Amino acid sequence: MILTVAGEKKEFEDGINVSKLIELEEVETPQYVTVSVNEEFVDQGAFDSHILKDGDEIEFLYFMGGGR
């Protein structure tokens, strides 16, 4: 299947979940990543059960705190 990951189309095996994609994409600090699929956030507790589908668009996001 074809997924768009961070704006880049890539081919993956059918039926992978968000957790497997994070592993395959070697995401840094996966415990802090927020994932959106088709512009909808996926709860971190659902990474194992959220199965990706052909044509999905995935973004890995990190929210940074800070300021004065």
Side-chain angles (χ1 to χ4, degrees):
M1 73 177 160
I2 302 295
L3 301 175
T4 303
V5 181
E8 184 178 338
K9 290 188 184 286
K10 298 182 176 185
E11 189 167 347
F12 295 92
E13 64 185 63
D14 288 343
I16 66 171
N17 60 28
V18 172
S19 292
K20 183 66 175 177
L21 181 65
I22 288 170
E23 179 185 323
L24 291 171
E25 288 295 298
E26 299 177 346
V27 172
E28 289 185 41
T29 58
Q31 65 273 26
Y32 298 120
V33 73
T34 299
V35 178
S36 73
V37 177
N38 302 322
E39 299 184 1
E40 291 189 23
F41 291 111
V42 177
D43 185 68
Q44 210 165 27
F47 284 4
D48 289 339
S49 62
H50 190 105
I51 305 300
L52 298 167
K53 299 173 190 71
D54 187 51
D56 280 350
E57 295 183 13
I58 299 94
E59 295 289 338
F60 300 118
L61 308 165
Y62 294 90
F63 293 101
M64 300 294 193
R68 295 181 187 216

